[in-house]
Amino acid sequence: MEFDFLEPVSQEIIDFVDQLSTQHLGSKVVFHTQADFPDINQVIIAVVGVLEKRGDSTNHSDTDLNYIRKEFYSLFPGNWETSIADLGDVLPGNSLDDTYFAVQSIVSSLIKKKIIPIIIGGTQDLTYAVYRAYDKLEQMVNLVSIDSKFDIGKQEEVITKDSYLSKIIIEEPNNLFNYSNIGYQTYFNSQEEIDLIEKLYFDAYRLGEVCNNITVAEPVFRDADIVSIDMTSVKSSDSGYSKKFIPNGFNGKEICSLSRYAGISDKVSCLGVFNHNNTEGEAVLISQILWYFIEGVHFRSNEYPFGSKKDYIKYIVTFEDDEIVFFKSNKTERWWIEIPFFTNVNNKLKKNTLLPCTHEDYLAACNHEFPERWWKAQRKNIL
C-alpha cells in the first residue's frame, strides 16, 4: 500500500535508458514503469524522487528530476554487485504533512526490507519525514547533515528547509540520539544556535576543519543512520547552483568523498540529497555524488556492530582514576572507542557500546587528553 504513493518513472527516462548501451548504469537498474512495479526482493538500493518544494517559500520553479536521472544513468558502474531499483516519484500531497506521511511510509517499508533508500528532493525539510520513518523500527537515530547551516528555527515556526531540525529535536517520540553537522559556516549561524548545538552535546565541524583534513568526517558517518546532503553546502563554482551565488563551500571532489564515506558506513540506512536547483550543471555533480555513495555501499566491510570483537586489537589507555579502551580493526585499520553501557535510559541504547573514532583520538588519549566525542557521549549518558 505504501508504494501506491509512487508515480512511475517518466516515459522520457525509460526511452532515454533504452538508447544507452548495456554497459551504462541505466541498463543495470530496474524501473517502476506504467506497466510494471519491479520485484524489489533482491534490491539493495532504491532511488525515490520527491517533487515537494513547499519547504522553500521562495522556490517557484517546478521540481524536475529528469536531468539528474539522465546524468546518473549515463554513467558507467564500478565493479559492483549492488542491485538498484528506481521506484519513481512521490508527488506533492494536498498538504505538506501528506507528503511527509508518504515519504515516511515508503522509507520505513524499504528499511524494513533491508533496502537503502536514496531520496532525491525537494527541499531539505524532507529529512524530518525520513527521520520519522524510524519511529516503528524501535531504535535511536543518528542524523548527519552536510550543510552550511544548522537549520534551527523558532519552535513556533512552520517547518521549512531552514527550521526542520527544531521539530526533530523537540517533537515526541524523540528518537534522536545524536545530530552531527559537517561543514557549517559560522557566519550563517547565530551564536545562540552554535551554543545550543554545544549544549545538546551534538557534533559540529566547520567547513575549514573538514576541508583541511577530510578524514575527520569518516567516523561521524560510521555512526550515522541518516545522511542528509544540502546541495547549497557546495560552492557554486563546483555545483553550478545559480539561484543564489555561493562563494564558499565544499568542492566537487570533497562532497563526493563525503558521500563515499556515507556509503562505506555499515550503519547508514538512508541517504537524502536536497535543495538543488533543477539545472543540468548541478545534475552532473549530483549524479556523481550518488555514484560514489553506491560505490561505498559495495565496499562495506560489515564491521562493528555487525562483526565480532575477535577481529580487533584491543588497546587500554590508563588515566589516574579511569581508563579508556580502544579497538582497532585488523581488516580496515579503523578505530573505535568503548563507551560504558547506558544504564539510566531505555534499553534501546544499550547496543551502542563502541563509538567510531580516529587514530588521532587514540594518540590524544595516550597524551592524557580525553577525546571530545568520548566526552560528549559520556555527558549524554549522565544526562
Side-chain angles (χ1 to χ4, degrees), residues 15-273:
D15 293 340
F16 175 83
V17 170
D18 286 342
Q19 295 175 1
L20 298 174
S21 78
T22 56
Q23 299 300 312
H24 284 95
L25 179 59
S27 66
K28 317 293 183 185
V29 178
V30 292
F31 292 89
H32 176 195
T33 66
Q34 293 286 353
D36 186 40
F37 190 87
D39 180 4
I40 60 174
N41 289 325
Q42 303 301 318
V43 167
I44 295 175
I45 292 174
V47 176
V48 177
V50 186
L51 308 183
E52 180 61 77
K53 61 182 179 62
R54 281 173 287 186
D56 181 3
S57 60
T58 66
N59 187 352
H60 303 295
S61 61
D62 292 331
T63 301
D64 183 358
L65 303 179
N66 281 356
Y67 286 141
I68 296 173
R69 282 188 165 103
K70 287 180 179 179
E71 290 292 341
F72 182 46
Y73 297 135
S74 296
L75 299 176
F76 292 97
N79 187 22
W80 301 336
E81 299 174 358
T82 307
S83 54
I84 305 169
D86 189 332
L87 301 185
D89 298 327
V90 176
L91 301 181
N94 292 328
S95 68
L96 195 51
D97 284 339
D98 291 336
T99 306
Y100 292 159
F101 178 78
V103 173
Q104 175 182 341
S105 301
I106 293 166
V107 171
S108 181
S109 295
L110 290 172
I111 293 174
K112 286 179 181 177
K113 294 177 181 292
K114 308 297 183 184
I115 299 172
I116 302 170
I118 296 178
I119 307 299
I120 309 173
T123 46
Q124 200 180 14
D125 53 293
L126 293 167
T127 304
Y128 163 76
V130 172
Y131 162 74
R132 286 270 75 108
Y134 288 74
D135 287 351
K136 296 180 180 180
L137 303 179
E138 297 184 354
Q139 68 172 78
M140 300 301 286
V141 177
N142 290 334
L143 167 63
V144 174
S145 177
I146 303 175
D147 199 340
S148 60
K149 302 177 182 178
F150 296 132
D151 297 326
I152 300 174
K154 295 181 180 178
Q155 185 174 347
E156 64 273 12
E157 281 184 354
V158 176
I159 185 171
T160 69
K161 67 181 181 65
D162 297 316
S163 65
Y164 70 90
L165 184 59
S166 300
K167 195 170 181 69
I168 289 176
I169 293 173
I170 294 170
E171 187 177 80
E172 296 289 343
N174 192 326
N175 298 324
L176 182 67
F177 179 62
N178 193 44
Y179 164 80
S180 300
N181 174 282
I182 304 292
Y184 81 95
Q185 298 178 40
T186 306
Y187 39 71
F188 288 146
N189 300 275
S190 70
Q191 190 59 49
E192 182 182 9
E193 292 172 320
I194 295 172
D195 291 342
L196 179 61
I197 294 294
E198 186 67 26
K199 182 179 180 181
L200 295 173
Y201 303 107
F202 290 158
D203 301 311
Y205 298 82
R206 291 180 65 174
L207 174 66
E209 179 184 2
V210 181
C211 292
N212 185 54
N213 179 15
I214 201 165
T215 61
V216 302
E218 187 275 327
V220 181
F221 290 105
R222 214 186 317 157
D223 205 34
D225 299 290
I226 303 167
V227 175
S228 174
I229 300 176
D230 184 337
M231 285 304 298
T232 64
S233 66
V234 182
K235 56 186 178 181
S236 292
S237 59
D238 280 46
S239 71
Y241 190 90
S242 57
K243 183 180 175 184
K244 180 181 178 182
F245 182 66
I246 302 168
N248 292 308
F250 292 115
N251 63 32
K253 179 181 177 182
E254 290 161 347
I255 195 68
C256 287
S257 295
L258 295 174
S259 181
R260 192 174 190 276
Y261 282 151
I264 287 176
S265 167
D266 294 310
K267 196 178 178 193
V268 169
S269 52
C270 186
L271 173 75
V273 181

Side-chain angles (χ1 to χ4, degrees), residues 361-379:
D361 290 324
Y362 167 71
L363 295 178
C366 290
N367 289 325
H368 292 87
E369 299 174 12
F370 285 101
E372 184 175 0
R373 282 170 61 78
W374 179 88
W375 180 82
K376 286 184 177 179
Q378 292 286 72
R379 294 298 299 170

Side-chain angles (χ1 to χ4, degrees), residues 231 239-241 275-287:
M231 285 304 298
S239 71
Y241 190 90
N275 292 351
H276 54 88
N277 65 347
N278 302 319
T279 63
E280 292 183 68
E282 195 173 30
V284 174
L285 179 58
I286 292 174
S287 69

